[in-house]
């Protein structure tokens, strides 16, 4: 990767000095503007993408007739490869599309973060194509450890991960994929600022890509194999989601932010309540929200399991497009809404639901009655109103001392978030008060950082003692080297404006309790250094003995002048494919390894499988494939497989990361899996609800498959992970009767009944498991359910989706 010299700086700014040639600026990047026209047009002419969207929309209207459509359905169905086939197959003539139809979709683009891009690109390379069929981008945001500050952390991160960055940059050049270097920003924010446009459909190799829904973009988080499908031009399949309508009324009060809406909603719905749904926000309350605030809601929709979330196009959306130097995109979107080739209301594509459109479920939230919420610890759906938090902390005996407050991340790093926090910091500064806890700030992108520096916001944070981290994921995903040296295993509390707070996620300490809150609440409580402080009602004592109460936060929706692009070294590298570029992978690398195809499914049912481990409790993708220090092995499947299920809880013993061989010998779970792989012993995992909750981490499917897993049987799956398993040739099954979880144990021998026939019949048919108990030899038959489609059956039979894609090219 090109060299970046991190010299001395003023405020939070990195003084750029590069030794390679200069990169094109953001505004010069054609692919970032591909959905818009390059010149002014009238309502009689549309940019190519809008022309395609309108034509598909017209087909949808023809097929579904006068049926009223939600906004999500309009955009999603208008990206179908074959409208009639998807909407009329097994749907009662198109009347029962939701939850029934298998939608075969053609996304407009794919965006990949660096950790998952490695495996996605390694898979794409096996397909032997000169370039992707649709535009794509790579964002280097996951591999920078947050510790001492942006300069030092970024320099260390580049030195540590240069091999990976070289690979990603060279792949971008070879295949014509946009490359955003380390320091450019977090994928979600960069995509929102550059690629999100009303009506677009994107896939993102991250479960938080849906933040672009705040700008009326359908964006769905996927695994790398899904991304490769789209990159090679194959239709991407999705079970037609149901639509959950969230009607917003009223207006947020002073201390309440958009983050509190989703914190409240997550508590109401739980981490599984949105599974199989798109969340569509509407109602008069949306007009009072900023575009970035709406994006925060969409971003954290992943925490309820939602397929994605979306907002209508509002005046705030228009202001955001202008602020991010995309005036033409704003004009195009407005022209598109007024464009028609026919007559009647259905000949217009409006970026809102049809009047009379029905939702499968409806939730109403009066924003004027909402109060700040704090969610956690250890799960994002334990939602507690701020007014009740002190009492809850004391009742639960959670730590009352706050170790650290961290604001920013993919969820809450907007200009609005930061300036509202700035007002709190300035009020405290005037009172002579400094933060009592460590205070970290993560800008979401170079554009945000540069604009905040220009407007002196970052300098305000630094003057107060805050540590401004690099424009990267950092502590949110476990890339955090704490400065307070709290020993592992020591209970402590942190407050963050992040989206996810699973046990051990941020710092590897299983006893760190991460409580999620708005940036404003995090900032105020960092000054108190206490989890029991309520900034709305409580006061602090100033150094001269006076009582100080924080005023309500005040900020700006966006900058008074458009966003700065920032330093050129952090801008996108974009260009045509160059087949002469050699992708940088060393044969001796411990970070990157070329892929070998998985073996195809045998021409019979499976037999002789053994249960490797029976897991109890929450089993997230963090549990199956931990992040943190393991991120460095994302491009090396053998090495990263050494962490498989290493924080799973053994249901029989309650032990973490413990499994027992058939002879009774004790091992870690990945150790035993590796031994069984070496002796050709296929295996399965038994687990409980929402298996695979969390990030769209396809390694959580790849690693078990690599080590010999053929089946995962659970009470229920998280959507993305269930799909990822099928893409890698692993069969996901759920218990037909949940209580049958008690009938199968570690070490039991398992054979499938009806599985091969079901796969040969394109997903049609029932599957059961014949279980021979390890200790008694008793045979038990367990009925299961599956959601295997025709295409997915083909993936499994071929050994993986990649095997099929490679054959087709």
């Amino acid at each position: 990767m090109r060299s970046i010299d991190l010299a001395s700086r003023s405020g939070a700014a990195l003084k750029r000095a590069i030794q390679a040639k200069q990169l094109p600026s953001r505004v010069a990047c054609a692919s970032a503007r591909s959905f818009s026209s390059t010149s002014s047009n009238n309502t009689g002419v549309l940019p190519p993408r809008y022309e395609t969207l309108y034509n598909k929309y017209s087909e949808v209207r023809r097929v579904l007739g006068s049926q009223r459509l939600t906004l999500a359905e309009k955009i999603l169905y208008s990206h179908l490869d074959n409208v009639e086939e998807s909407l009329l197959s097994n749907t009662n003539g198109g009347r029962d599309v939701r939850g029934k139809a298998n939608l075969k979709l053609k996304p407009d683009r794919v965006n990949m973060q660096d950790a998952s891009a490695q495996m996605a690109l390694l898979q794409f390379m096996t397909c032997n194509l000169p370039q992707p069929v649709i535009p794509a981008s790579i964002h280097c945001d996951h591999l920078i450890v947050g510790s001492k500050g942006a300069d030092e952390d970024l320099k260390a991160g580049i030195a540590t991960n240069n091999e990976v960055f070289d690979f990603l940059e060279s792949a971008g050049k070879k295949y014509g994929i946009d490359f955003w270097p380390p320091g450019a920003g977090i994928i979600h924010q960069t995509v929102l600022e550059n690629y999100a446009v009303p009506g677009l459909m994107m896939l993102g190799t991250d479960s938080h890509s849906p933040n672009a829904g705040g700008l009326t973009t359908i964006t769905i988080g996927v695994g790398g194999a899904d991304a490769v499908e789209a990159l090679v031009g194959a239709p991407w399949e999705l079970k037609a989601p149901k639509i959950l309508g969230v009607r917003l009324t009223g207006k947020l009060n002073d201390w309440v932010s958009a983050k509190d809406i989703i914190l409240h909603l997550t508590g109401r719905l739980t981490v599984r309540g949105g599974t199989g749904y798109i969340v569509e926000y509407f109602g008069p309350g949306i007009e009072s929200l900023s575009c970035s605030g709406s994006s925060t809601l969409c971003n954290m929709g992943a925490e309820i399991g939602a397929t994605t979330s979306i907002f209508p196009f509002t005046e705030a959306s228009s202001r955001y497009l202008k602020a991010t130097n995309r005036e033409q995109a704003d004009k195009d979107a407005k022209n598109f809404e007024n464009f028609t080739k026919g007559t009647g209301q259905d000949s217009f594509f409006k970026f809102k639901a049809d009047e009379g459109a029905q939702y499968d479920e409806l939730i109403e939230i009066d924003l004027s009655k909402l109060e700040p919420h704090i969610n956690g610890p250890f799960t994002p759906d334990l939602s507690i109103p701020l007014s009740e938090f002190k009492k809850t902390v004391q009742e639960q005996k959670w730590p009352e001392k706050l170790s650290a407050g961290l604001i920013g991340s993919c969820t809450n790093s907007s200009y609005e978030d930061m300036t509202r926090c700035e007002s709190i910091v300035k009020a405290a500064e005037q009172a002579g008060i400094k933060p009592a806890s460590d205070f970290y700030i993560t800008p979401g992108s170079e554009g945000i950082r540069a604009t905040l520096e220009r407007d002196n916001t970052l300098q305000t944070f630094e003057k107060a003692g805050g540590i401004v981290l690099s424009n990267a994921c950092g502590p949110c995903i476990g890339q955090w080297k704490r400065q307070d040296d709290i020993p592992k295993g020591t209970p402590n509390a942190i407050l963050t404006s992040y989206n996810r707070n699973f046990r051990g996620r941020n710092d590897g300490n299983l006893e760190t309790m991460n409580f999620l809150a708005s940036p404003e609440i995090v900032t105020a409580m960092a000054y108190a250094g206490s989890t029991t402080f309520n900034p709305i009602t409580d006061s602090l004592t100033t150094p001269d003995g006076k009582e100080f109460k924080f005023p309500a936060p005040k900020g700006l929706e966006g900058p008074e002048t458009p966003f700065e692009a920032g330093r050129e070294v952090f801008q996108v590298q974009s260009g045509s494919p160059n087949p002469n570029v050699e992708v940088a992978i060393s044969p001796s690398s411990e970070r990157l390894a070329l892929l070998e195809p998985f073996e195809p499914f045998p021409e019979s049912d499976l037999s002789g499988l053994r249960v490797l481990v029976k897991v109890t409790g929450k089993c997230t993708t963090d549990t199956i494939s931990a992040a943190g220090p393991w991120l460095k092995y994302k491009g090396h499947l053998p090495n990263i497989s050494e962490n498989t299920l290493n924080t799973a809880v053994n249901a029989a013993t309650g032990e973490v990361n413990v499994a027992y061989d058939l002879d009774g010998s004790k091992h870690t779970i990945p150790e035993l899996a590796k031994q069984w792989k070496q002796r050709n012993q296929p295996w399965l995992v038994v687990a409980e609800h929402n298996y695979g909750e969390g990030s769209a981490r396809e390694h959580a499917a790849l690693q078990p498959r690599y080590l010999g897993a053929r089946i995962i049987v659970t009470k229920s799956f998280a959507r993305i992970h269930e799909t990822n398993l099928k893409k890698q040739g692993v069969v996901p099954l759920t218990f037909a009767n949940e209580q049958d979880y008690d009938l199968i144990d570690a070490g039991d021998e398992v054979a499938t009944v009806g599985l091969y026939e079901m796969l040969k019949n394109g997903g049609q048919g029932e599957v059961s498991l014949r279980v021979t108990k390890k200790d008694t030899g008793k045979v038990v038959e367990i009925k299961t359910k599956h959601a295997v489609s025709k295409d997915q059956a083909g993936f499994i039979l071929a050994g993986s989706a990649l095997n099929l894609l490679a054959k087709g090219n």
Side-chain angles (χ1 to χ4, degrees), residues 214 258 286-295 316-317 319 414 416 557:
I286 66 170
E287 298 297 336
S288 65
L289 299 179
S290 66
C291 181
S292 57
S294 300
S295 296
S317 311
R319 291 192 295 271
S414 69
E416 180 181 35
E557 177 186 290

Side-chain angles (χ1 to χ4, degrees), residues 356 369 374 392 493 565 702:
K369 295 181 180 178
I374 298 179
T392 306
L702 273 166

Side-chain angles (χ1 to χ4, degrees), residues 227-378:
V228 174
E229 275 188 287
L231 291 174
V232 304
W236 178 73
E237 188 172 352
L238 175 72
K239 178 70 73 175
K242 295 182 179 181
I243 311 296
L244 169 62
V246 179
R247 184 172 185 269
L248 304 180
T249 60
K251 188 176 181 179
L252 296 172
N253 292 313
D254 284 344
W255 273 96
V256 187
S257 76
K259 179 65 168 276
D260 294 302
I261 304 172
I262 189 62
L263 291 174
H264 165 74
L265 186 62
T266 304
R268 288 176 66 169
L269 290 173
T270 79
V271 292
R272 292 191 286 135
T275 303
Y277 287 85
I278 291 178
V279 179
E280 181 168 317
Y281 294 88
F282 69 105
I286 66 170
E287 298 297 336
S288 65
L289 299 179
S290 66
C291 181
S292 57
S294 300
S295 296
T296 291
L297 271 72
C298 293
N299 196 65
M300 200 169 163
E303 306 319 321
I304 58 173
T307 300
T308 192
S309 305
I310 194 161
F311 272 80
F313 187 64
T314 66
E315 283 305 310
S317 311
S318 177
R319 291 192 295 271
Y320 185 80
L321 285 171
K322 293 173 183 175
T324 51
N325 299 293
R326 292 182 286 171
E327 294 87 350
Q328 190 59 51
D330 177 52
K331 292 178 183 177
D332 289 340
K334 290 175 178 175
N335 284 343
F336 180 61
E337 286 196 295
N338 293 313
F339 178 86
T340 181
K341 292 182 179 179
T343 59
Q345 63 175 345
D346 289 351
S347 66
F348 292 90
F349 192 120
K350 298 293 184 181
F351 290 121
K352 62 181 180 179
D354 292 339
E355 187 173 345
Q358 298 296 306
Y359 297 95
D360 295 284
E361 290 191 33
L362 181 63
I363 291 176
E364 297 210 21
I365 300 176
D366 185 345
L367 302 182
S368 61
K369 295 181 180 178
L370 198 64
E371 69 169 295
H373 281 63
I374 298 179
N375 288 25
F378 306 138

Side-chain angles (χ1 to χ4, degrees), residues 579-655:
N580 296 320
V581 171
E582 184 176 346
V583 176
I585 301 179
S586 168
S588 60
S589 174
E590 294 187 353
R591 300 287 301 272
L592 298 159
L594 294 172
L595 296 175
E596 295 291 334
F598 293 128
E599 74 281 0
F601 197 90
E603 296 182 359
S604 65
D605 266 284
L606 300 173
S607 61
L609 281 73
R610 292 282 182 167
V611 179
L612 177 77
V613 63
K614 181 177 178 179
V615 179
T616 187
K618 190 183 284 282
C619 194
T620 71
T621 49
D622 279 359
T623 309
I624 308 163
S625 174
W630 292 94
L631 282 173
K632 63 184 178 182
Y633 295 129
K634 285 290 186 179
H636 199 294
L637 185 55
N639 283 350
I640 198 169
S641 295
E642 300 283 345
N643 78 2
T644 305
L645 287 160
N646 70 351
T647 57
V649 179
N650 187 309
T653 66
E655 297 168 294

Side-chain angles (χ1 to χ4, degrees), residues 460-483:
T460 299
F461 291 141
E462 290 188 318
K463 185 178 179 182
I467 299 174
V468 178
L469 300 176
S470 179
N471 313 318
C473 299
C476 184
I477 59 160
Q479 294 285 65
W480 183 25
K481 185 178 180 182
R482 296 182 64 154
Q483 298 299 299

